[in-house]
């Protein structure tokens, strides 16, 4: 499919007003998206586990404007309170998606959103938030075009979510989602995320992700600035190539169930992401002393227990702990006893792989 396939034909139906609610999860990348071209095209493919309990719920109320005006009319609420600080991001998103949703300026919107995870936990809410909003908008389009099929609905939701935040396009479906063209992954595209449909060994079923909240402060580097660091980065080309190689490796690992190989790829991806930030101009050091303490303790725990706990990181200090379901008991005991103390206020969130977004109303 190309971008043009997402431009709608004149709508057969009319809708005066309504309300829709979607709940959409966060996701955690195993091969990282870091670096992009214009129009939110990723510089390399990425793959992520869709999460289950870290979710954003968004209700969108819409009513037809009495008089047409050439601007977007929307009000924003976050956890019940008016949130004008989110306006620029939403405004930009609406501008980007308007060519694909030409009805946007015909309606007034009230967007009401809340997160299942603690406020300002440092967990990226842009993936769950942008995907939830994209799905709500698609539900309106579906009313205007009742014949739309489910596949198109899902594709276009991911396509629109990507225009809000790249990683958001991986939050529509579960359990493993690939975004970015990769030669040997069927259907993969730079324009939207697709479910990874190859064989996946049972070792990876219901994989666990415990998120350690090491630093809940404001992000030091916004993702926009972060991705820009890859423009003219001395190691960029090799890194983009490496992401393709790592995705290839993971494809084989998902089939074989080889957890030791899985760990090597996933941890190396996390450290490479941080290495890119440390070697860019300007440079950033986003790990905190406690991040390193946790990583070292994971290495030691693995050596002593023979279990398969590993870590990954996003562009921040928090640590995602990934481990197989059958090692859940010993691993969560270890987290309580030895890692919790390195979290801000002892906070962490037990989550796991989920099946994607769902419509609530
Ligand atoms: C480190 O999706 O937040 O989490 O497209 O600018 O919104 P924008 O970037 P964003 O970047 C996420 C980067 C990452 C890795 C990943 O999720 O793949």
């Amino acid at each position: 499919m190309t971008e043009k396939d997402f431009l709608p034909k004149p709508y057969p139906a009319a809708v005066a007003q309504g309300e829709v609610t979607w709940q959409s999860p966060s996701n955690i990348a195993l091969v990282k998206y870091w670096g992009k071209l214009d129009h939110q095209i990723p510089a390399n493919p990425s793959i992520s586990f869709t999460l289950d309990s870290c979710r954003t719920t968004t209700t969108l109320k819409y009513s037809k404007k009495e008089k047409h005006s050439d601007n977007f009319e929307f009000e924003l609420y976050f956890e019940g309170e008016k949130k004008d600080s989110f306006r620029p991001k939403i405004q930009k998103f609406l501008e980007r998606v308007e060519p694909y949703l030409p009805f946007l300026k015909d309606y007034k919107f009230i967007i009401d959103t809340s997160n299942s995870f603690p406020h300002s936990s440092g967990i990226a809410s842009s993936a769950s938030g942008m995907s939830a909003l994209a799905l709500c908008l698609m539900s309106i389009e579906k009313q205007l075009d009742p014949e739309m099929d489910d596949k198109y609905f899902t594709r276009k939701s991911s396509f629109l979510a990507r225009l809000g935040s790249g990683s958001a396009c991986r939050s529509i479906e579960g359990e493993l989602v690939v975004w970015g063209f990769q030669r040997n992954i069927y259907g993969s595209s730079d324009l939207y995320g697709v479910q990874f449909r190859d064989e996946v060994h049972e070792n990876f079923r219901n994989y666990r992700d415990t998120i350690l909240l090491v630093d809940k402060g404001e992000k030091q580097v916004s993702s926009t600035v972060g991705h820009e660091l890859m423009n003219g980065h001395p190691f960029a080309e090799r890194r983009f190539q490496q992401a393709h190689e790592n995705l290839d490796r993971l494809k084989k690992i998902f089939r074989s169930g080889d957890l030791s190989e899985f760990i090597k790829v996933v941890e190396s991806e996390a450290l490479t992401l941080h290495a890119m930030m440390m070697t860019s101009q300007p440079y950033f050091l986003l790990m905190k002393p406690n991040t390193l303490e946790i990583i070292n303790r994971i290495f030691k725990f693995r050596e002593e227990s023979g279990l398969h706990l590993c870590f990954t990181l996003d562009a921040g200090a928090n640590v995602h702990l990934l481990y197989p379901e059958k090692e859940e008991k010993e691993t969560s005991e270890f987290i309580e006893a030895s890692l919790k103390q390195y979290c801000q206020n002892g906070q962490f969130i037990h989550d796991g792989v989920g099946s994607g977004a769902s419509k609530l109303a």
Side-chain angles (χ1 to χ4, degrees):
M1 285 178 100
T2 70
E3 269 142 339
K4 287 208 182 81
D5 295 313
F6 296 109
L7 294 168
K9 301 193 181 67
Y11 296 121
V15 182
Q17 61 184 48
E19 178 179 330
V20 59
T21 301
W22 276 88
Q23 200 171 64
S24 192
S26 186
N27 67 73
I28 180 66
L30 305 171
V31 171
K32 307 286 180 182
Y33 149 57
W34 199 240
K36 60 177 158 183
L37 316 175
D38 284 346
H39 307 288
Q40 294 284 101
I41 297 299
N44 63 258
S46 55
I47 186 168
S48 50
F49 274 135
T50 304
L51 296 184
D52 189 37
S53 11
C54 287
R55 287 172 168 260
T56 296
T57 305
T58 297
T59 296
L60 182 66
K61 295 191 181 121
Y62 49 97
S63 56
K64 203 110 192 221
K65 289 182 191 169
E66 274 136 42
K67 264 211 316 253
H68 179 82
S69 61
D70 198 29
N71 60 334
F72 299 115
E73 274 186 43
F74 60 96
E75 284 174 45
L76 277 178
Y77 293 86
F78 180 68
E79 302 189 340
E81 298 201 0
K82 204 151 193 182
K83 192 83 179 177
D84 285 332
S85 59
F86 288 174
R87 284 193 76 84
K89 196 153 189 188
I90 301 298
Q91 172 75 26
K92 197 164 173 194
F93 173 63
L94 296 175
E95 283 166 18
R96 282 188 187 163
V97 299
E98 198 204 0
Y100 307 99
L101 300 172
F103 60 85
L104 291 179
K105 284 182 181 158
D106 300 335
Y107 290 87
K108 286 191 287 203
F109 297 103
I110 298 176
I111 306 168
D112 201 334
T113 130
S114 60
N115 292 336
S116 65
F117 38 89
H119 186 45
S120 74
S121 56
I123 296 183
S125 56
S126 65
S128 51
M130 284 298 173
S131 53
L133 182 56
L135 285 157
C136 288
L137 293 172
M138 280 308 291
S139 287
I140 303 180
E141 182 164 73
K142 168 99 184 158
Q143 288 203 315
L144 296 167
D145 178 10
E147 302 284 285
M148 182 190 297
D149 68 46
D150 290 350
K151 188 170 167 196
Y152 182 83
F153 183 97
T154 305
R155 281 276 148 84
K156 186 163 173 181
S157 301
S158 176
F159 172 87
L160 297 174
R162 183 195 103 240
L163 295 172
S165 178
S167 56
C169 80
R170 298 187 312 236
S171 276
I172 308 288
E173 294 177 283
E175 302 179 328
L176 279 162
V177 176
V178 177
W179 167 42
F181 177 71
Q182 169 89 339
R183 196 180 28 80
N184 57 1
I185 295 190
Y186 180 75
S188 60
S189 167
D190 286 345
L191 300 179
Y192 44 79
V194 293
Q195 275 181 321
F196 178 78
R197 288 188 178 278
D198 270 41
E199 200 181 315
V200 177
H201 193 278
E202 62 170 57
N203 282 351
F204 296 105
R205 292 278 144 72
N206 204 16
Y207 223 68
R208 311 317 299 154
D209 179 3
T210 298
I211 308 159
L212 303 180
L213 306 176
V214 173
D215 181 36
K216 305 196 290 164
E218 275 288 301
K219 269 204 200 170
Q220 242 187 76
V221 192
S222 73
S223 54
T224 316
V225 172
H227 290 286
E228 269 167 20
L229 297 173
M230 292 305 277
N231 296 331
H233 191 293
F235 308 136
E237 284 317 309
R238 185 62 191 93
R239 157 60 196 156
F240 299 147
Q241 194 187 331
Q242 180 198 45
H244 285 274
E245 291 159 12
N246 281 342
L247 188 48
D248 249 349
R249 286 171 72 191
L250 273 187
K251 191 174 143 125
K252 295 191 186 95
I253 291 165
F254 283 131
R255 189 176 285 251
S256 70
D258 189 333
L259 293 174
S260 305
E261 283 300 304
F262 177 76
I263 293 170
K264 284 186 203 158
V265 175
V266 168
E267 292 188 343
S268 164
E269 273 291 318
L271 295 177
T272 301
L273 170 70
H274 282 252
M276 289 299 116
M277 284 181 262
M278 288 187 218
T279 50
S280 49
Q281 286 295 345
Y283 41 81
F284 294 95
L285 192 49
L286 301 184
M287 291 189 223
K288 299 278 181 204
N290 282 354
T291 313
L292 288 174
E293 190 61 50
I294 289 164
I295 292 176
N296 281 313
R297 285 190 170 236
I298 293 170
F299 290 159
K300 193 156 170 271
F301 173 71
R302 217 156 53 212
E303 208 175 286
E304 289 171 0
S305 67
L307 297 178
H308 299 92
L309 168 64
C310 76
F311 69 86
T312 185
L313 310 163
D314 275 341
N318 293 338
V319 183
H320 286 250
L321 303 174
L322 299 174
Y323 49 99
E325 187 182 25
K326 63 171 184 245
E327 298 179 6
E328 186 165 13
K329 190 172 172 291
E330 299 95 309
T331 309
S332 37
E333 281 165 11
F334 166 68
I335 296 168
E336 273 290 338
S338 304
L339 300 182
K340 188 180 166 175
Q341 56 193 290
Y342 299 105
C343 302
Q344 242 181 27
N345 309 323
Q347 267 187 297
F348 59 84
I349 299 169
H350 280 310
D351 205 342
V353 172
S355 54
S358 49
K359 191 174 176 203
L360 298 190

